[in-house]
Amino acid sequence: MNLKNIKSLFLTLLLAIPLMVACQNEQKEKAAFIKENIAFATAQTDKMLQSLGEPTGKNYPRTTKNNGDLVVTGMYDWTPGFFPGSLWFLYELTGDAKWKDVAEKWTATLEPLKTFTGHHDLGFMMYCSYGNADRLFPNAEYKKILTESANSLSSRFSEKTNTIKSWNYRKAWDDSTEMFYPVIIDNMMNLEMLFYASKITGDKKYYDIAVKHSDSTLKNHFREDFSTYHVVNYDTISGKVLNQGTSQGFSDNSTWARGQAWAIYGFTMVYRETKDAKYLDAAIKAADLYLKNLPDDLVPLWDFNVGEAGYTPGWKSYAAKYQEKLRDASAAAIVCSALFELAGYADNRNYTDYAVKMLHSLASPAYRAALGTNADFLLMHSVGSLPHKSEIDKPLVYADYYFLEALIRYKNSK
Ligand code: GLY
């Protein structure tokens, strides 16, 4: 090695050392952040388990009453899969068999849902519970239950509309229209179980339904700027779109933050399963629109257009009276988790940086509850459905689920 080479090696080392030190510090901070959040989540969930007692099929935690008391639901609501799913995540984060035992118990009570066809949320109900169970402990019985659940969900698919029907026929909640075949953007999330069913059975029919539903959603739920409509109502005979609007957002033409979150997460997942670039494009455009509308702490308003000129809530909507600009931590948690994945498919867009900042924001005292408060939920300040005067500025079980999933994705990220 000549003098010139030695000099250049020396210079390279000189430059690299501070970078290596910075990188090591960052890794240490990351490990400490994850450890502290796991310690909190396990302690808080221990308290939740004590307050719930044994699973009965009727006591899945959901939110709180106005006086702060815990609200639980039966299994036929859309949210019973999230608590068992969170217990699986705690097992994944700790490796402690105690969490596996409780996760198994809380998952097992949902088995009767495998034949349920009353609404579209079977993906949330069964894939967050049994899907996580089978991912961590692959098992023929779990696969049988998930396949039967996928059959039940598929029974709601129509070749006319090329979508899975979200809700059964109903009058719009403010009586403005009849909803013959309502499909909501949330429905994208239920497709993950269908992709999985095709993988474990070798039968492509579930995959085909998921792709057709995604294509119809791509066509009918997005506006030009890639903001989303919450509800699209189809004609059952012609299969045509009758109207596009909202049920849980501020107004028909507004962007409901959690709806946008479901779109980002959903299309990221569909891209993972299909590798079709049009879904990645949709996920990126929906994510960029979402990021453009965020306040400094990266937790969105429950609807991006609350109180803005040109956005009018329906006459029966509580949003007409209540225009306080509340945040929705549940949307933030869903997007945070989604961005960790989307970053892997779009590495030129700083999505990991955004996701890490969102996770820190959610884990700060502004959104993460103090131990033993918040009826033992992890996160505060979500909005279930403001127009229906329901779950306003409350904890929500699915905010906690996606927060824990984001924590796992952060832990696994490079
Ligand atoms: N899937 C119902 C909701 O997001 O509120």
Side-chain angles (χ1 to χ4, degrees), residues 179-320:
M179 295 208 269
F180 295 100
Y181 195 105
V183 178
I184 61 175
I185 187 67
D186 323 28
N187 207 338
M188 289 301 299
M189 301 296 286
N190 294 308
L191 307 181
E192 193 166 5
M193 184 168 73
L194 298 184
F195 286 116
Y196 191 63
S198 275
K199 279 186 249 178
I200 59 180
T201 60
D203 188 337
K204 203 163 159 283
K205 70 181 177 196
Y206 310 102
Y207 178 102
D208 289 340
I209 289 176
V211 165
K212 284 179 187 167
H213 184 95
S214 303
D215 287 342
S216 306
T217 304
L218 199 53
K219 193 163 142 219
N220 299 323
H221 268 86
F222 284 105
R223 305 186 186 99
E224 251 178 37
D225 62 356
F226 274 77
S227 66
T228 42
Y229 290 105
H230 177 210
V231 188
V232 175
N233 178 28
Y234 290 87
D235 186 293
T236 50
I237 298 162
S238 68
K240 291 211 171 97
V241 172
L242 291 174
N243 41 57
Q244 295 153 305
T246 200
S247 173
Q248 285 168 252
F250 186 73
S251 64
D252 285 339
N253 58 342
S254 74
T255 302
W256 176 49
R258 196 164 56 254
Q260 194 71 15
W262 295 138
I264 296 164
Y265 192 116
F267 278 96
T268 301
M269 175 276 295
V270 176
Y271 173 69
R272 179 217 308 148
E273 298 299 332
T274 61
K275 290 289 171 280
D276 186 330
K278 71 183 172 197
Y279 304 128
L280 177 59
D281 184 58
I284 289 174
K285 286 181 172 147
D288 288 349
L289 182 285
Y290 176 94
L291 294 174
K292 233 172 49 194
N293 279 282
L294 289 180
D296 286 348
D297 70 359
L298 306 185
V299 176
L301 299 188
W302 71 274
D303 188 295
F304 294 160
N305 308 108
V306 182
E308 283 181 8
Y311 298 88
T312 310
W315 68 272
K316 212 173 167 185
S317 171
Y318 187 55

